[in-house]
Amino acid sequence: AGAVDFADLISMAGVVLERCPEVRSIIQAELQAVVVDEFQDTSAPQLALLRAIVGDQHGKITAVGDPRQRIFSFQGSCAGQFEAFLRDFQAREISLDENFRSTARICGFAAAVLGHASDMSCDMQDIVAKHPSGEGAPIEVVVCRTTACEIYHIQASVLRSRLTGREWRGQA
């Protein structure tokens, strides 16, 4: 009774800004910039809250995200958020299609697995792998039926890699 979760906090903040123009005016007057990281994981209520916070000061908001990395669809994130952001804030898109974190094999595997996802608003084939190790090691697929099994396989893989001379920091 009386408890609120994260979604409630977002909704309640939106209601306050909608119903209390004096509060909204104070926030907007103090506003220098709004930067949203991991934008791909925002929900419609979170986007509505951003609209209320920013108002017509569109030049003060920046969102950074990658629709290919969206993992919170179970909490309401959707691929259409990017189009809504571009429209609502008269923003421009700058696409960064070079991946310096993953090898060519990982990028190719992701494109093969995710490229046919029905809700992807971008083309996985556009990613160019720029990892210094090039192709990278072969991909190993392991099926684990329990968390303990998964932990075992990860530990064994890391230890095998370390025993062959790979530094700990290269284990990501």
Side-chain angles (χ1 to χ4, degrees), residues 34 36 39 46-63 81-92:
V34 175
V36 182
F39 186 78
Q46 291 168 332
L47 185 57
L49 179 59
L50 286 171
R51 282 188 211 104
I53 290 171
V54 174
D56 61 359
Q57 301 178 67
H58 297 153
K60 293 188 175 188
I61 186 165
T62 300
Q81 291 289 88
F82 285 92
E83 289 82 17
F85 182 88
L86 292 170
R87 180 189 65 240
D88 296 349
F89 296 105
Q90 289 110 45
R92 66 184 171 104

Side-chain angles (χ1 to χ4, degrees), residues 26-45:
I26 291 169
I27 289 174
Q28 289 175 351
E30 293 292 320
L31 184 67
Q32 292 183 20
V34 175
V35 179
V36 182
D37 193 15
E38 302 295 344
F39 186 78
Q40 71 273 5
D41 293 326
T42 59
S43 64

Side-chain angles (χ1 to χ4, degrees), residues 16-26:
V16 168
L17 292 175
E18 181 182 311
R19 294 184 183 172
C20 303
E22 62 279 359
V23 172
R24 186 175 56 242
S25 294
I26 291 169

Side-chain angles (χ1 to χ4, degrees), residues 64-66 68 93-100 126-128:
V64 178
D66 184 348
R68 295 165 284 231
E93 178 180 0
I94 300 172
S95 182
L96 305 175
D97 292 329
E98 294 179 344
N99 183 325
F100 292 90
D126 292 342
I127 299 299
V128 177

